[in-house]
Amino acid sequence: MKKTTKLTSLLLAMLMLATACGGGETTPAADNAGTTAPSADAETPAEETVPEETEPEYEPLPSKDMNGFDLCFYNYDESWLSWVINILDTEETTGDVLNDAVWDRNNRMEETYNCVISQMLDRNPADQLAALVQAGDTSADVVMIYDEQIVNHYAAGRLLTWDVLPHVNFEHPWWSWNATQTFNAAGKVYAATGDFSLAQSTRSFILMFNKDMYADLSLEDDLYQLVLDGKWTMDKLITLAETAVLDLNGDGVMNPLDDRFGTAGAIKLWFGSLVTGAGIKYVDLDEEGNAVFAIPGNEYAATVMSDILAKHNGNYIFTQVAEGVHSGSNESQVMFKNNQTLFHGSSMKGISGYRDMDSDIGILPFPKYTEDQDAYYALTSGGTMATIPTTLPADSYDNVGLILEAMSRDSRESVIPVYKETLLKSRYARDEGSAAMLDIIFASAMYDIGLSVIPSETYYKYMEVFMNGTDTFASLTKSITKIVNKKLESLTKQG
């Protein structure tokens, strides 16, 4: 039975401090060209991510009787954050395979350590964190925060860095190495995501293709094999997309209502995923671990952005079907289902929206920029990450660290395979090739503070250049450098 004492305590604190609020802005993305992770998260793409024979090499976790310790997550309900899978705990088995996998995992933790795993649900825990910390409320041991708000809370001094938690080892493959290198200040991790939560991995962006249309166009490349061979590049994507462009009604005007395109949708997803896929970050860490604007002086980034723009101008490979850089996803979904586009970008969770599509679909990672790039990178943004509030008592550090490490390690062999193989590979992806692609995408998640935290100052500005169709990337970079640097200084320096 789950405890309710912590929920009652938090609700009382919220009532007492109803006018208090927290919050801020955020956005995530990819690694700089040449940046690689020392773990399985950034392997050169291969059909298998972590060799099975390496698993026994991990040292066993210590045994401990926690005497009923209650590890409580402060987590989002589904009233707002509906676009990710955010399940951390469940009250009962329901027959749903994912729900029951989480139930089984948590029961294993509770039986192994004589502990309780519980959660308090709220529409937006990040909005209440300031009040919680101000009240000295110790109800929440781990606070899940939407990535756009994390850095603001860290800068305000409301979050501990994860080095206080024994047992957590970010070198292990059940933690996202790239995330811990991104939400990091001077070597100190202040937010993390691991296999215990699907909230970020279900926000990795993927590329679908219409397999029936691909066959009808008599295209010979085996797309899955191109990916596995490391030859799936932006140029190859553009070449294939061009073959799909057709004035179906013959009126001489390309119209999203009547004709066929390479792809369609929101610039935010398409341009953003191609930039991230090239291994470019808007914000990176310098040698001292400080967040810096990574575009000025980066000739590779300038070349890639200009090339993306040039290769999309005037050829109907990509058509924007709504005004603004953010809109167009719903309209493009309709076009893809109507066989009006060959390729379509979506989130990992969004794949579930195509179960009823008549044509067969395949799933791919967004492409590399060139073949010599060492890995694929999947833009990952718009989910939640785990943070440790400053109200966590010091005598809880050991228990919290041990349970989080154990949950992530266990999930790698239980919850994650259920999600990938049962929900994705069997229900939505319609062939074994797509199943292999999903493994690569999971291993390729990339984060960027420029995407997650200050998109209005960086990410969105560059998307607007792409939308306008005139190459002003260089002048844009020059005009915003001081603004971005000042913003980063204010965000990442704790006050």
Side-chain angles (χ1 to χ4, degrees):
M1 180 178 296
K2 302 299 182 184
K3 295 185 178 180
T4 59
T5 54
K6 289 194 172 184
L7 175 58
T8 302
S9 175
L10 181 63
L11 290 175
L12 288 173
M14 294 303 105
L15 288 171
M16 294 168 60
L17 293 162
T19 58
C21 63
E25 287 186 318
T26 320
T27 352
D31 244 0
N32 261 347
T35 301
T36 56
S39 71
D41 282 282
E43 288 180 336
T44 300
E47 197 163 352
E48 297 180 356
T49 52
V50 178
E52 185 177 344
E53 62 270 20
T54 66
E55 297 297 338
E57 296 179 5
Y58 298 116
E59 295 182 2
L61 289 169
S63 59
K64 184 177 183 180
D65 184 344
M66 297 185 182
N67 299 309
F69 174 78
D70 183 357
L71 173 66
C72 184
F73 291 95
Y74 190 20
N75 196 16
Y76 291 74
D77 61 27
E78 295 183 355
S79 61
W80 176 66
L81 192 68
S82 60
W83 53 88
V84 302
I85 294 177
N86 200 35
I87 181 172
L88 292 174
D89 188 37
T90 180
E91 291 298 323
E92 60 183 359
T93 57
T94 64
D96 178 87
V97 290
L98 183 57
N99 176 91
D100 294 355
V102 171
W103 167 269
D104 291 341
R105 176 200 66 191
N106 287 4
N107 275 355
R108 283 192 293 274
M109 298 299 102
E110 293 175 340
E111 292 174 1
T112 299
Y113 296 110
N114 186 19
C115 67
V116 174
I117 296 173
S118 63
Q119 64 180 351
M120 304 178 298
L121 298 178
D122 199 310
R123 184 177 186 276
N124 193 339
D127 288 346
Q128 305 300 332
L129 181 56
L132 183 147
V133 171
Q134 184 180 342
D137 192 297
T138 60
S139 301
D141 301 306
V142 179
V143 181
M144 303 304 292
I145 300 182
Y146 186 58
D147 54 15
E148 291 190 4
Q149 298 174 286
I150 293 170
V151 177
N152 284 35
H153 285 297
Y154 174 70
R158 301 182 189 116
L159 303 178
L160 295 172
T161 54
W162 282 58
D163 54 291
V164 304
L165 300 182
H167 311 296
V168 172
N169 186 345
F170 291 130
E171 296 296 320
H172 286 155
W174 42 84
W175 295 100
S176 172
W177 181 88
N178 185 264
T180 58
Q181 296 303 302
T182 300
F183 292 88
N184 183 308
K188 301 283 189 177
V189 176
Y190 53 86
T193 186
D195 287 347
F196 74 92
S197 170
L198 290 165
Q200 280 290 1
S201 57
T202 51
R203 279 295 292 176
S204 287
F205 290 103
I206 57 93
L207 191 61
M208 293 186 286
F209 71 101
N210 186 319
K211 292 180 65 180
D212 293 348
M213 185 188 301
Y214 193 84
D216 290 343
L217 292 170
S218 300
L219 298 171
E220 296 180 355
D221 288 300
D222 181 333
L223 296 184
Y224 301 135
Q225 196 59 49
L226 284 177
V227 174
L228 295 173
D229 292 342
K231 296 180 179 180
W232 177 233
T233 64
M234 188 184 79
D235 281 351
K236 176 61 71 173
L237 168 63
I238 288 172
T239 298
L240 294 173
E242 284 178 326
T243 66
V245 177
L246 184 64
D247 179 7
L248 290 174
N249 62 8
D251 65 357
V253 178
M254 292 298 293
N255 187 324
L257 295 176
D258 305 308
D259 299 314
R260 196 173 70 195
F261 300 81
T263 189
I267 289 175
K268 182 177 183 178
L269 191 156
W270 187 257
F271 176 77
S273 293
L274 290 177
V275 172
T276 293
I280 294 170
K281 273 193 169 186
Y282 296 96
V283 174
D284 207 346
L285 301 179
D286 63 16
E287 293 181 356
E288 287 74 40
N290 301 310
V292 295
F293 188 24
I295 303 300
N298 187 337
E299 293 184 7
Y300 173 73
T303 298
V304 170
M305 289 184 186
S306 294
D307 196 31
I308 292 172
L309 176 60
K311 288 177 178 174
H312 283 78
N313 260 349
N315 51 19
Y316 302 107
I317 292 172
F318 172 86
T319 183
Q320 188 180 0
V321 289
E323 295 182 1
V325 295
H326 305 286
S327 54
S329 294
N330 293 335
E331 294 86 349
S332 63
Q333 182 182 73
V334 172
M335 291 179 68
F336 187 62
K337 289 184 175 182
N338 287 343
N339 301 310
Q340 289 181 266
T341 52
L342 176 60
F343 294 103
H344 179 69
S346 182
S347 68
M348 188 78 78
K349 184 176 185 288
I351 297 170
S352 63
Y354 299 86
R355 285 178 292 182
D356 59 348
M357 187 168 170
D358 292 332
S359 297
D360 280 342
I361 59 173
I363 297 170
L364 303 165
F366 269 87
K368 300 177 179 183
Y369 182 58
T370 62
E371 287 186 26
D372 58 4
Q373 188 173 306
D374 63 346
Y376 297 97
Y377 300 116
L379 191 161
T380 305
S381 174
T384 63
M385 300 188 64
T387 68
I388 310 301
T390 54
T391 49
L392 181 69
D395 59 6
S396 296
Y397 292 173
D398 191 84
N399 287 349
V400 172
L402 182 54
I403 296 173
L404 287 175
E405 181 74 12
M407 285 180 71
S408 291
R409 180 183 291 213
D410 184 283
S411 298
R412 184 173 177 82
E413 302 299 329
S414 58
V415 176
I416 297 299
V418 165
Y419 176 64
K420 288 198 295 186
E421 295 172 20
T422 306
L423 292 181
L424 289 177
K425 293 181 181 179
S426 298
R427 282 196 198 174
Y428 310 134
R430 304 183 186 179
D431 54 48
E432 286 304 311
S434 287
M437 299 300 100
L438 290 174
D439 291 335
I440 291 172
I441 295 166
F442 259 81
S444 303
M446 289 292 162
Y447 302 82
D448 182 350
I449 287 177
L451 290 168
S452 334
V453 184
I454 54 169
S456 296
E457 289 83 0
T458 57
Y459 180 33
Y460 299 163
K461 298 290 187 184
Y462 288 94
M463 290 192 299
E464 288 169 0
V465 173
F466 178 83
M467 179 180 69
N468 294 332
T470 302
D471 190 346
T472 57
F473 291 118
S475 60
L476 170 65
T477 299
K478 185 177 181 180
S479 69
I480 65 176
T481 295
K482 287 184 179 180
I483 298 171
V484 174
N485 287 340
K486 186 175 182 179
K487 184 72 172 180
L488 287 173
E489 183 179 357
S490 67
L491 281 174
T492 57
K493 185 176 182 180
Q494 278 194 308

